[in-house]
Amino acid sequence: TTGSNSQGIGIDDVSIKPCGTVSAPTASNQAFCSAASTTVASLTATGTSVQWYSASTGGTALSTSTALANSTTYYATQTVGGCESVTRTAVVVTINSNPSAPTGSATQTLCSGATVAELSASGSSIQWYAASSGGSALATNTALVNGTHYYASQTSNSCESTTRLDVTAAIVSSGSWIGGHFNRLVECF
């Protein structure tokens, strides 16, 4: 029905459409590394127009720039057709510490033809790089170059160390003497 009020402004019928049931999005607990700047924008859930809250009911949606806190539960909703889910999916966030650099000898003497696979460092899930930061891990069959620095990282709880062990490769041929406290003849095969 269309009508007008005393000021001559037209009024149309208003219909209210019930939302029905919108299910909560799907998500699971999530882990991040402490070295990363993790915010609500880092959280993932499968759904439409997902919003995150700090409570299981009520409250206002969190800003995507809100920093995540360790051992904290966040709650996700989704909005479909203008209707937001009443129920929320709980997600527990764990923030793991990045490990320190692995340990090892700063200079490693190896035979001519040695590869990255022969470098040694103590830690877990060691990866070798050509730079002290950034870059891609070297392939294990990469030939070592005498006097070149190689850098090792380690990974624990899916978090890679932000600092790296600096190792200089000392490449020698068979019959070379290695200096130091115990001089010895290197036998390379």
Side-chain angles (χ1 to χ4, degrees):
T1 312
T2 303
S4 61
N5 63 15
S6 62
Q7 286 83 27
I9 299 173
I11 302 171
D12 287 330
D13 285 338
V14 176
S15 62
I16 298 174
K17 177 185 166 191
C19 280
T21 303
V22 175
S23 61
T26 58
S28 56
N29 294 340
Q30 297 171 38
F32 301 94
C33 300
S34 61
S37 296
T38 53
T39 63
V40 167
S42 306
L43 294 170
T44 60
T46 302
T48 304
S49 300
V50 174
Q51 293 190 87
W52 294 92
Y53 294 84
S54 60
S56 60
T57 60
T60 57
L62 297 169
S63 164
T64 56
S65 63
T66 301
L68 298 180
N70 187 40
S71 301
T72 300
T73 303
Y74 295 89
Y75 302 88
T77 65
Q78 71 171 327
T79 300
V80 178
C83 299
E84 186 174 19
S85 59
V86 175
T87 58
R88 297 178 180 178
T89 301
V91 173
V92 177
V93 167
T94 301
I95 299 178
N96 295 312
S97 296
N98 289 72
S100 57
T103 58
S105 298
T107 300
Q108 296 184 21
T109 304
L110 300 156
C111 294
S112 180
T115 64
V116 165
E118 296 171 68
L119 290 171
S120 177
S122 296
S124 64
S125 300
I126 302 295
Q127 293 190 87
W128 291 94
Y129 294 85
S132 61
S133 65
S136 298
L138 296 170
T140 57
N141 63 351
T142 301
L144 298 179
V145 176
N146 186 47
T148 299
H149 291 260
Y150 297 91
Y151 302 88
S153 72
Q154 70 170 320
T155 300
S156 176
N157 292 322
S158 300
C159 297
E160 188 172 11
S161 58
T162 56
T163 56
R164 297 175 180 169
L165 169 67
D166 181 356
V167 172
T168 302
I171 306 301
V172 297
S173 57
S174 183
S176 299
W177 285 97
I178 299 174
H181 186 66
F182 296 103
N183 288 337
R184 63 182 174 90
L185 183 65
V186 175
E187 292 188 44
C188 297
F189 301 98

